[in-house]
Amino acid sequence: MRTPDELSEAEFRSLYRRLRATAPGGGTPRGALDTITGEQVLAAVREVRSGRTVSLAAQVNTRPGPDDADPAEHRLTAPADAEPAATGLDFARDRFAMNIHGDVNSHLDALCHVIYDGTLHGGAPAAGVLSPAGASALSVDLARDGIVGRGVLLDVPRLHGVPWLEPGTGVTAEDLAAAEARQEVRVGRGDIVLVRVGHRLRREELGPWDVADARAGLQPTAMEFLAEREAAALGSDGNSDTAPSPVEGVAFPVHVLAVHAMGLHLLDYLRFEDLAPICAREGRWTFLCVIAPLRLPAATGSPVNPLAIL
């Protein structure tokens, strides 16, 4: 039997069409980034009071685990054998290699990341955009000048009086609205919305698990909240999608709705465990948010270290 949170494929497609037609970034080349104006950036700058900066990224993971079978690689390439010369000048050098779209490391999803029915955001045929050389359009290069605006943290576990949501829990639009009311904040046009589900804290305290089988995230219908408020970007300490998927035949429905239908750049697997206590203590849940992806002109995403400036 279906649970009340599950959607049939037909119901999901109806929701997809509705969001694509009504969301502000549903068909524009830059997607929802166009909702951030210069005036809004200036208003976000005025959120800064103490000048304190807080990273919203996790440390890059280099250890294999049930949620990261192919972790990032980091090694020292010089000096040879890690033995510096006893005299004269020498340099330490290193090399990183990583899969951008994993289930542990913090990253930004570009608008070319999600292929649905053979197309990308805006209806572009995926076969005409994607090649072994990368993406000829809709790449992370759209965000090369950074995503800067007002960040809003909605702490859903705090709303329910728990440290984290258990894997498999779905966050509803009603949860997001209730978190707003509890925190005395309101998401508005052009905001960078960050939803804490407690995924990162659970991993740190209980250890990693296979998140493909179970993880907390948003219910697909919660995306109507983001569309109504005209958010510019969406981030989470998970990857925004619930597992197992509540949609028949679609493994990552929130990715499809956010990236493909609404033109929202997604920030996956962030870390809010430094920021959330500060927000709770100071009674403020908004801040200047600065997101600077790498200059990767044909990439489907980028590692990222977003900053909250309070």
Side-chain angles (χ1 to χ4, degrees), residues 159-229:
L159 170 70
H160 295 293
V162 295
W164 55 70
L165 302 183
E166 288 297 336
T169 304
V171 175
T172 67
E174 291 75 19
D175 286 324
L176 298 179
E180 272 190 325
R182 171 77 177 272
Q183 297 171 197
E184 299 182 332
V185 67
R186 183 175 175 83
V187 172
R189 179 178 174 86
D191 282 344
I192 300 165
V193 181
L194 306 172
V195 179
R196 180 178 178 270
V197 298
H199 177 104
R200 189 66 68 175
L201 179 62
R202 188 183 193 277
R203 187 180 191 274
E204 291 172 1
E205 293 201 2
L206 301 184
W209 71 96
D210 186 355
V211 300
D213 287 340
R215 66 180 174 271
L218 299 180
Q219 286 292 333
T221 51
M223 298 308 295
E224 294 183 287
F225 175 94
L226 279 301
E228 177 188 334
R229 300 301 176 82

Side-chain angles (χ1 to χ4, degrees), residues 110 112 129-141 294-301:
C112 62
V129 173
L130 303 176
S131 74
S136 60
L138 301 174
S139 76
V140 75
D141 195 52
L294 300 178
R295 292 293 300 268
L296 300 168
T300 65

Side-chain angles (χ1 to χ4, degrees), residues 86-97:
T87 60
L89 176 65
D90 205 347
F91 292 98
R93 298 190 297 271
D94 50 5
R95 180 181 185 275
F96 287 95

